[in-house]
Every structure is written in structure tokens, then in C-alpha cells.
Amino acid sequence: MSSDARLALITRPGCHLCEDAKAALDRVVAVTGDRWIERDVTGDVELEREYGDRLPVVLLDGKEHGYWRVEEERLLRDLTTPQL
């Protein structure tokens, strides 16, 4: 994951839920000012093995935050709450 992007979205082409998740992440980062990157499982055996049946998957700071649907309010809270 890029050092300046706290969020990553794991996707695959033709995934309608992935398109919904991209729109949700765009709404979230419009509020927080964060960036997100997309990682496609196509051709990546490790990503496919780990996440293939649960796409899309949101990673926050490299850890799984959720899959299938973006929980926007929870993600906003987790992005804006100071880490202990």
C-alpha cells in the first residue's frame, strides 16, 4: 500500500459491489481529505486467495476494515479518531 494512502480497496473487474464501494470511498475521503488506492486481485494469487470470495474489501492502515459493503459512518469514525 502506498505510504500516503491509509485506505486500499481490493477489487476485480466486473464487480458491481466494487463500483458501489469506490463511490462510498470517494464520499468518505471528500470529508476526511485522505486518499485511497485500488488493488485488483486479477493476476495476484495472494490477493485472490485471501480476498477472492469477499470482494470488495476495504483495508485501513493495512488491516481489513470490512468487505462487500463500505460502512461509511464507521469508516469515517475510524479515520478521524486519534489512535492510542
Side-chain angles (χ1 to χ4, degrees):
M1 188 159 79
S2 173
S3 62
D4 62 343
R6 295 185 65 196
L7 294 166
L9 182 64
I10 312 299
T11 66
R12 85 168 75 246
C15 166
H16 72 281
L17 290 177
C18 297
E19 296 305 317
D20 294 345
K22 290 175 192 180
L25 285 183
D26 284 341
R27 287 190 295 272
V28 168
V29 300
V31 173
T32 66
D34 287 284
R35 292 183 57 246
W36 65 273
I37 59 170
E38 182 175 0
R39 297 193 53 203
D40 183 349
V41 299
T42 306
D44 188 319
V45 175
E46 276 188 44
L47 284 178
E48 179 69 38
R49 187 178 303 124
E50 180 74 20
Y51 302 113
D53 61 344
R54 297 182 288 135
L55 297 177
V57 176
V58 175
L59 303 179
L60 172 59
D61 295 328
K63 298 177 185 164
E64 189 173 316
H65 189 270
Y67 58 94
W68 292 333
R69 303 273 182 206
V70 177
E71 298 176 63
E72 292 181 53
E73 288 183 23
R74 181 174 152 245
L75 184 56
L76 276 167
R77 182 185 66 238
D78 292 345
L79 282 166
T80 58
T81 301
Q83 301 298 310
L84 299 177

